[in-house]
């Protein structure tokens, strides 16, 4: 029986790598999938992982009817045995409903990948709808790590190395951008609450005020 499966986790936990692995395994068995994405770090119409793997994908744009797109694709002779949807947190709730309809009406497996919460620890609308509708939710077992070595559970947005907690929910960035740019970092809950990024931790360690200095 076909399923809508939501693979969730923080940034840097291998979601896109797993998506590409599922695509490889199924295509090696002669199955043909349709890959969708939204706002990938590699640019429009790309599904990429931080390991350097990349493949072509269909860009889901605002207002796009994913169900209608797939029906049109199949009507024109295109084949679809399953769907892979990366960056699913960026989809609108109604587009998640369309994914569920694909499972129910077209009897296709849909594998959706995305982070659950934003830099403010608030649910993305797309992720919330996936949690509400998915037949199965899988938390990835590859644990991202905070700079302190603890398990990373929260996504932080940074600017100049400093954590920010205000702004638009969706601003495309990466964990590998220069410090002066908008970037992202995964943190444990403790350091997310304290707004302590790796950069601010290093600055604090180098500060002459960290330890008392005895003067003679």
């Amino acid at each position: 029986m076909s399923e809508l499966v939501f693979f969730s986790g923080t940034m840097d936990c291998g979601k896109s790598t797993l998506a590409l692995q599922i695509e490889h395994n199924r295509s090696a068995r002669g199955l043909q999938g349709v890959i969708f994405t939204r706002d990938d770090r590699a640019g429009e119409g790309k599904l990429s992982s931080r390991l350097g793997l990349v493949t072509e994908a269909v860009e889901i744009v605002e207002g796009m009817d994913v169900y209608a797109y797939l029906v049109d694709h199949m009507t024109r002779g295109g084949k679809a045995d399953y769907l892979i949807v990366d960056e699913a947190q960026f989809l609108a709730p109604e587009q998640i409903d369309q994914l569920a309809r694909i499972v129910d009406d077209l009897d296709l497996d849909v594998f959706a990948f995305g982070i659950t919460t934003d830099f403010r620890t608030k649910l993305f609308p797309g992720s919330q709808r996936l949690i509400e509708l998915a037949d199965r939710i899988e938390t990835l077992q590859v644990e991202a790590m905070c700079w302190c070595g603890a398990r990373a559970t929260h996504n932080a947005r940074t600017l100049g190395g400093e954590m920010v907690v205000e702004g638009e929910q969706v601003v495309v960035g990466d964990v590998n951008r220069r410090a002066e740019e908008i970037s992202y970092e995964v943190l444990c809950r403790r350091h997310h609450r304290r707004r302590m990024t790796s950069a601010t931790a290093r600055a604090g360690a180098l500060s002459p005020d960290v330890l008392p200095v005895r003067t003679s």
Side-chain angles (χ1 to χ4, degrees):
M1 192 170 194
S2 298
E3 290 184 307
L4 172 58
V5 186
F6 180 30
F7 294 90
S8 68
T10 62
M11 294 179 298
D12 238 4
C13 72
K15 296 182 299 301
S16 298
T17 301
L18 178 58
L20 289 164
Q21 184 67 55
I22 289 176
E23 162 64 13
H24 170 77
N25 290 350
R26 293 197 163 221
S27 63
R29 297 295 178 266
L31 300 175
Q32 187 170 328
V34 179
I35 303 174
F36 292 94
T37 190
R38 173 82 187 263
D39 293 337
D40 188 273
R41 70 183 73 85
E44 184 174 332
K46 303 288 184 183
L47 191 166
S48 66
S49 80
R50 292 190 176 91
L51 297 182
L53 304 173
V54 62
T55 191
E56 298 297 319
V58 178
E59 185 79 11
I60 297 178
V61 298
E62 186 176 351
M64 177 178 173
D65 187 326
V66 186
Y67 179 86
Y69 177 94
L70 189 64
V71 169
D72 181 68
H73 169 78
M74 297 172 72
T75 301
R76 294 172 181 269
K79 189 177 179 184
D81 295 309
Y82 60 92
L83 266 66
I84 289 175
V85 184
D86 200 27
E87 306 293 356
Q89 72 274 6
F90 295 144
L91 271 60
E94 57 268 24
Q95 291 171 325
I96 302 301
D97 284 270
Q98 293 157 14
L99 297 182
R101 186 182 177 191
I102 288 168
V103 175
D104 297 339
D105 293 359
L106 303 181
D107 197 25
L108 299 178
D109 285 319
V110 175
F111 305 105
F113 298 80
I115 59 179
T116 308
T117 57
D118 64 15
F119 68 104
R120 303 164 300 183
T121 71
K122 304 297 183 182
L123 283 169
F124 282 99
S127 298
Q128 179 177 334
R129 193 62 179 144
L130 274 165
I131 291 168
E132 294 165 347
L133 291 182
D135 298 294
R136 218 162 19 102
I137 300 173
E138 300 283 350
T139 302
L140 270 67
Q141 298 303 308
V142 177
E143 294 184 350
M145 296 180 66
C146 178
W147 60 264
C148 69
R151 178 173 177 263
T153 54
H154 290 65
N155 305 301
R157 180 182 293 171
T158 62
L159 181 60
E162 303 250 344
M163 181 173 156
V164 295
V165 294
E166 295 181 353
E168 295 292 328
Q169 185 176 51
V170 179
V171 176
V172 178
D174 200 0
V175 295
N176 297 318
R177 290 198 176 188
R178 296 192 299 272
E180 64 270 19
E181 297 179 319
I182 290 178
S183 186
Y184 290 90
E185 182 175 350
V186 287
L187 301 173
C188 64
R189 184 183 65 238
R190 175 179 299 172
H191 288 125
H192 192 279
R193 288 180 58 247
R194 295 177 180 176
R195 303 186 186 180
M196 186 176 290
T197 67
S198 57
T200 55
R202 284 195 302 270
L206 295 173
S207 170
D209 298 325
V210 171
L211 296 175
V213 179
R214 185 186 298 273
T215 57
S216 54

